[in-house]
């Protein structure tokens, strides 16, 4: 077992400074209990950051970068950046990073969504200096070298094979492509037919990182950290991050999202999935936030949140006669767009029948046939999901980071709750009618001889 004294010089000095220079306004854990879940924002060394001082002995810090699949220059770049995280840097080897973090009891996490790449660490509160330094080092000093062939490329190929057998994920990627074409329509992970060898290499990913990790495209978000402490360490350890992308590297495309609609059908023998999707709301920090669509998703539902109960949602009641069709309604919110998705998986014949009931249910909402009790339940359910998501150390971090990058606005839970509380029955009626009158996006994966076309359901594509 390596002793703590064997940590690198930078880790030791960061820890020593943290012990010697405690800010005078540092609060004890008991005092934090009276705080809120809202974020306090700031700017240090040209990097936007946000923090909320939650009670507890641990801290989570993450760098949120505008480097999801929407913004990647070539296919697979977001996957490549994600999987190079916490590998060797110019200052430390991957082994040293692993051993130092283990000695401090820390945990790493990396993932990408359609808009963001999130690189984070969770650790004991007093170790904030070390992990802030490490995150700054990861985005500015990673060595994109031999680990590409040994560790990164093989993992990407394995994820391609996993996606090939998942009909639900294939349908989700398909419906996004139909709805948005490029940008948000790019698949979350490269499909097995994507010619990655044509696009991906360590050198190209390194070049892309200089644009993805430029200061205007990142934000640092912390849960359980003192705001003054975070400001101090971000200002010290993120000075080497580039202020802008080099002129010889293509800039990240920021073209506003446009909704198209249409349908796609993919034959598959490993299962059946059908997704009916409609234009949705942007995230709370986005430019086109519509809380009524979030409530509509909760009202339609399909999956109960209470064990042994079918639930209150309209689809759980109206499709009860088709038990071999599993239905869920979700709402994917992005910075300037959204997608309300009704997913149906299971037996192809049951999916065909259940999909007709889904459209009938939407028409009943558009006709105003929703009881006050169902409306109240839907508002309560939507509010709980939104607040729980914002409170989450994972989702809340990404939402806040994205808000800071796109408009300098953090995800504030209190304001989200107020918006959902104000949704009325008339708003739901108008929202459902606009969805049915406009173009939908429909994707079917599975037995195409049985799965219906959008026109057979009465939808416009």
């Amino acid at each position: 077992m390596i002793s703590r004294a064997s940590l690198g010089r930078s880790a030791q000095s960061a820890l020593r400074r943290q012990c010697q220079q405690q800010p005078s306004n540092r609060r004890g854990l008991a005092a934090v209990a009276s705080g809120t879940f809202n974020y306090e924002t700031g700017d240090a060394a040209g990097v936007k950051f946000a923090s909320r001082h939650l009670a507890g002995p641990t801290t989570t810090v993450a760098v949120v970068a505008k480097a999801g699949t929407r913004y990647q220059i070539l296919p697979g770049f977001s996957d490549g950046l994600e999987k190079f995280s916490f590998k060797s840097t110019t200052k430390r080897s991957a082994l040293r990073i692993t051993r130092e973090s283990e000695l401090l009891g820390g945990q790493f996490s990396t993932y990408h969504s359609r808009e963001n790449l999130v690189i984070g660490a969770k650790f004991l509160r007093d170790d904030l200096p070390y992990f802030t330094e490490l995150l700054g080092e990861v985005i500015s000093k990673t060595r994109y070298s031999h680990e590409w062939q040994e560790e990164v490329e093989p993992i990407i190929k394995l994820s391609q094979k996993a996606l090939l057998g998942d009909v639900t994920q294939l349908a989700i990627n398909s419906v996004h492509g139909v709805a948005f074409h490029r940008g948000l329509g790019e698949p979350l992970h490269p499909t097995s037919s994507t010619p990655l060898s044509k696009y991906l290499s360590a050198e190209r990913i390194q070049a892309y990182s200089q644009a993805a990790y430029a200061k205007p495209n990142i934000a640092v978000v912390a849960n359980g950290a003192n705001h003054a402490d975070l400001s101090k360490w971000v200002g010290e350890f993120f000075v080497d991050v580039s202020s802008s992308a080099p002129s010889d590297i293509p800039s990240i495309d920021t073209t506003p999202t446009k909704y198209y609609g249409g349908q796609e059908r993919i034959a598959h023998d490993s299962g059946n999935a059908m997704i009916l999707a409609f234009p949705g709301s942007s995230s709370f920090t986005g430019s086109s936030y519509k809380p009524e669509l979030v409530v509509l998703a909760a009202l339609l539902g399909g999956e109960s949140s209470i064990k042994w109960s079918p639930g209150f949602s309209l689809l759980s009641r109206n499709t009860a006669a088709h038990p071999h069709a599993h239905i869920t309604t979700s709402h994917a919110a992005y910075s300037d767009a959204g997608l309300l998705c009704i997913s149906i998986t299971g037996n192809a014949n049951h999916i065909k029948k259940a999909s007709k009931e889904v459209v009938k249910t939407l028409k009943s909402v558009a006709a105003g046939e929703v009881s006050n009790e169902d409306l109240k339940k839907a508002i309560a359910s939507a509010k709980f999901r939104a607040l729980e998501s914002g409170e989450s150390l994972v989702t809340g971090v990404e939402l806040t980071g994205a808000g800071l990058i796109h408009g300098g606005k953090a995800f504030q839970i209190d304001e989200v709750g107020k918006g959902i509380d104000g949704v009325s029955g008339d708003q739901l009626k108008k929202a459902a009618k606009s969805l049915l009158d406009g173009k939908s996006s429909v994707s079917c994966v599975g037995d195409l001889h049985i799965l219906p076309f959008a026109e057979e359901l009465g939808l416009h594509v």
Side-chain angles (χ1 to χ4, degrees):
M1 182 74 180
I2 300 177
S3 67
R4 192 181 184 94
S6 65
L7 287 174
R9 182 178 304 170
S10 58
Q12 293 182 45
S13 61
L15 290 170
R16 196 179 303 117
R17 285 195 298 269
Q18 174 72 0
C19 295
Q20 294 174 349
Q21 302 178 19
Q22 298 288 354
S24 58
N25 62 345
R26 189 178 182 88
R27 295 177 289 174
L29 298 183
V32 185
S34 61
T36 71
F37 282 102
N38 286 340
Y39 282 94
E40 187 176 356
T41 61
D43 186 289
V47 177
K48 295 178 284 290
F49 70 93
S51 65
R52 55 184 179 186
H53 200 162
L54 304 178
T58 62
T59 295
T60 299
V61 176
V63 174
V64 180
K66 192 165 71 173
T69 51
R70 172 182 180 174
Y71 301 110
Q72 63 185 3
I73 299 172
L74 291 172
F77 273 28
S78 295
D79 263 286
L81 271 187
E82 174 194 331
K83 290 171 176 59
F84 262 116
S85 300
F86 300 109
K87 297 293 189 290
S88 298
T89 70
T90 56
K91 295 178 65 176
R92 311 170 214 238
S93 66
L95 179 60
R96 177 180 166 186
I97 291 173
T98 299
R99 289 184 173 178
E100 287 181 355
S101 63
E102 287 177 344
L103 285 168
L104 295 175
Q107 299 176 351
F108 298 141
S109 64
T110 57
Y111 71 92
H112 75 272
S113 62
R114 283 192 154 77
E115 288 196 302
N116 307 298
L117 171 63
V118 183
I119 306 170
K122 188 173 184 179
F123 46 86
L124 296 175
R125 188 180 289 253
D126 288 341
D127 296 330
L128 177 64
Y130 171 78
F131 286 95
T132 306
E133 179 184 16
L134 180 59
L135 287 174
E137 193 176 306
V138 165
I139 66 172
S140 62
K141 295 182 174 64
T142 291
R143 296 175 58 189
Y144 300 86
S145 55
H146 64 279
E147 289 168 330
W148 162 249
Q149 291 183 329
E150 296 174 5
E151 298 183 40
V152 177
E153 187 179 26
I155 296 177
I156 293 178
K157 290 181 177 179
L158 286 175
S159 66
Q160 285 183 293
K161 293 181 180 180
L163 177 63
L164 184 62
D166 191 331
V167 293
T168 302
Q169 287 302 315
L170 286 174
I172 291 173
N173 282 334
S174 169
V175 82
H176 274 81
V178 167
F180 302 119
H181 292 185
R182 299 188 184 277
L184 288 175
E186 294 291 332
L188 191 58
H189 299 282
T191 59
S192 59
S193 57
T194 303
L196 288 184
S197 58
K198 176 181 177 181
Y199 299 113
L200 286 184
S201 68
E203 293 76 18
R204 286 182 173 182
I205 294 175
Q206 180 178 15
Y208 175 60
S209 72
Q210 297 178 58
Y213 293 147
K215 288 181 180 179
N217 297 328
I218 66 169
V220 179
V221 183
N223 285 305
N226 178 274
H227 191 73
D229 289 351
L230 184 64
S231 176
K232 173 183 174 62
W233 301 124
V234 169
E236 181 172 338
F237 296 130
F238 280 71
V239 291
D240 292 334
V241 177
S242 176
S243 298
S244 61
S247 58
D248 59 337
I249 296 175
S251 59
I252 291 178
D253 186 5
T254 56
T255 303
T257 298
K258 180 181 178 181
Y259 178 84
Y260 294 92
Q263 70 177 321
E264 183 176 29
R265 298 166 65 81
I266 303 171
H268 207 290
D269 64 354
S270 294
N272 301 282
M274 183 177 190
I275 298 181
L276 312 179
F278 307 89
S281 164
S282 71
S283 63
F284 169 74
T285 57
S287 57
S288 55
Y289 177 62
K290 299 175 182 177
E292 61 269 22
L293 291 175
V294 179
V295 175
L296 179 59
L299 178 67
L300 293 173
E303 187 175 47
S304 176
S305 59
I306 302 174
K307 196 172 184 179
W308 312 123
S309 168
F312 77 90
S313 68
L314 301 183
L315 291 181
S316 65
R317 298 201 299 258
N318 297 348
T319 60
H322 314 295
H324 298 294
H326 181 248
I327 303 177
T328 59
T329 304
S330 60
H331 181 265
Y334 304 106
S335 60
D336 61 351
L339 202 62
L340 191 154
C341 299
I342 303 171
S343 304
I344 316 172
T345 58
N347 178 274
N349 285 304
H350 281 245
I351 290 176
K352 180 179 181 179
K353 296 174 183 177
S355 61
K356 295 178 181 179
E357 294 298 330
V358 168
V359 177
K360 287 182 182 179
T361 301
L362 257 179
K363 290 180 178 178
S364 70
V365 177
E369 300 171 4
V370 178
S371 67
N372 288 332
E373 183 179 355
D374 284 341
L375 175 59
K376 290 179 181 177
K377 290 179 180 178
I379 290 175
S381 177
K383 184 176 180 180
F384 171 79
R385 292 177 186 177
L387 299 188
E388 181 191 36
S389 177
E391 185 179 304
S392 165
L393 297 184
V394 176
T395 314
V397 164
E398 182 181 353
L399 290 172
T400 297
L404 290 176
I405 294 170
H406 291 283
K409 183 179 180 182
F411 182 88
Q412 305 295 19
I413 289 182
D414 295 346
E415 297 177 35
V416 175
K418 291 176 183 177
I420 293 176
D421 277 335
V423 174
S424 65
D426 286 339
Q427 286 178 294
L428 279 184
K429 179 179 176 180
K430 292 178 182 178
K433 189 176 186 305
S434 68
L435 298 186
L436 290 170
D437 291 343
K439 293 184 69 175
S440 59
S441 299
V442 179
S443 290
C444 293
V445 180
D447 189 345
L448 301 185
H449 178 68
I450 298 175
L451 296 176
F453 285 86
E455 293 84 353
E456 296 172 5
L457 303 177
L459 295 175
H460 305 294
V461 292

